[in-house]
């Protein structure tokens, strides 16, 4: 609805005020990861959280402002917003802070619009969702109930889970390891805990998932023992 505001400035403020609680509530897990699991002091985590939320809300404000600026006619703003939302999500995922979490398309995994994902990716799904939501917000106040209903039906849950896997494909056996934070050792001891339990699972699993904080570095920066683990797993059929 913020896109259909009277002026681009009003649209930007509406988008920003929408983004603050949306990202503030949705990113509570980040504080848990930094403070509870990572042991980072509150004096650092809270300013970091505020900074990230404000920046992400700023992207929404920018998308709303640009859509209101481009779409001179109120009805055209729905189409314009789909494009500016796409640009905003892609930009915040790759530019500046690079934050690809909480993308709109992620919410459509088991919904009809999510069927676009194999062809458009998560950003294309977000494009379709933003366009549908903006169009519905423009139609409803104008008593175009039937048209708005057709637009909104794309957001209703589907009766079956959408999957690209055929029944003939092999099923993977997956296990997830997580060491309780209060029991977690530091450094190499923590790494050894996950390494040993991964090999203890043996051939009973095809994939073993670790928390990302266990090895928080890019692949090319992995230590030699990480590389040795991967080579041993690949050569002996162990789970990765």
């Amino acid at each position: 609805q913020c896109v259909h505001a009277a002026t681009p400035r009003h649209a930007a403020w509406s988008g920003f005020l929408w983004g603050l609680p949306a990202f503030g509530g949705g990113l509570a897990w980040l504080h848990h990861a930094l403070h509870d699991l990572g042991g980072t002091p509150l004096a650092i985590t809270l300013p970091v959280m505020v900074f990230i939320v404000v920046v992400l809300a700023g992207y929404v404000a920018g998308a709303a402002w640009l859509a209101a600026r481009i779409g001179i006619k109120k009805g055209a703003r729905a189409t314009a917003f789909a494009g500016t939302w796409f640009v905003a999500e892609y930009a915040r995922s790759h530019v500046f802070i690079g934050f690809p979490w909480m993308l709109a398309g992620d919410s459509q995994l088991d919904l009809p619009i999510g069927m676009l994902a194999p062809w458009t990716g998560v950003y294309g799904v977000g494009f379709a969702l933003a366009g549908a939501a903006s169009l519905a917000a423009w139609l409803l106040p104008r008593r175009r109930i039937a048209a708005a209903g057709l637009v909104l039906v794309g957001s209703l849950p589907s009766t079956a889970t959408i999957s690209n896997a055929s029944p003939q494909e092999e099923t993977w056996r997956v296990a997830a390891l997580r060491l309780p934070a209060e029991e977690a050792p530091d450094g190499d001891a923590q790494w050894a805990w996950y390494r040993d339990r991964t090999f203890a699972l043996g051939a009973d699993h095809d994939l073993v998932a670790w928390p990302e904080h266990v090895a928080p570095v890019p692949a090319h920066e992995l230590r030699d023992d990480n590389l040795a683990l991967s080579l041993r797993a690949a050569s002996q059929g162990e789970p990765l």
Side-chain angles (χ1 to χ4, degrees), residues 2 11-28 46-62 64 85 92 99 102:
C2 67
W13 273 111
S14 298
F16 183 75
L17 294 177
W18 176 90
L20 290 179
F23 292 112
L27 294 178
L46 291 181
V48 168
M49 286 289 298
V50 171
F51 173 76
I52 292 176
V53 169
V54 168
V55 170
L56 296 182
Y59 277 106
V60 179
W85 180 271
R92 75 172 174 88
F99 201 87
M102 288 191 67

Side-chain angles (χ1 to χ4, degrees), residues 146-170:
L150 291 176
V151 173
L152 291 173
V153 73
S155 298
L156 296 177
S158 58
T159 55
T161 300
I162 299 170
S163 174
N164 296 319
S166 64
Q168 292 76 26
E169 290 182 347
E170 182 182 356

Side-chain angles (χ1 to χ4, degrees), residues 117-179:
W119 297 277
T120 67
V122 67
Y123 301 108
V125 175
F127 172 90
L129 182 61
S134 183
L135 182 59
W138 179 70
L139 291 172
L140 282 172
R142 290 157 182 78
R143 301 184 182 279
R144 297 182 175 92
I145 306 300
L150 291 176
V151 173
L152 291 173
V153 73
S155 298
L156 296 177
S158 58
T159 55
T161 300
I162 299 170
S163 174
N164 296 319
S166 64
Q168 292 76 26
E169 290 182 347
E170 182 182 356
T171 301
W172 278 42
R173 297 161 297 179
V174 180
L177 292 178
R178 182 180 182 277
L179 181 62

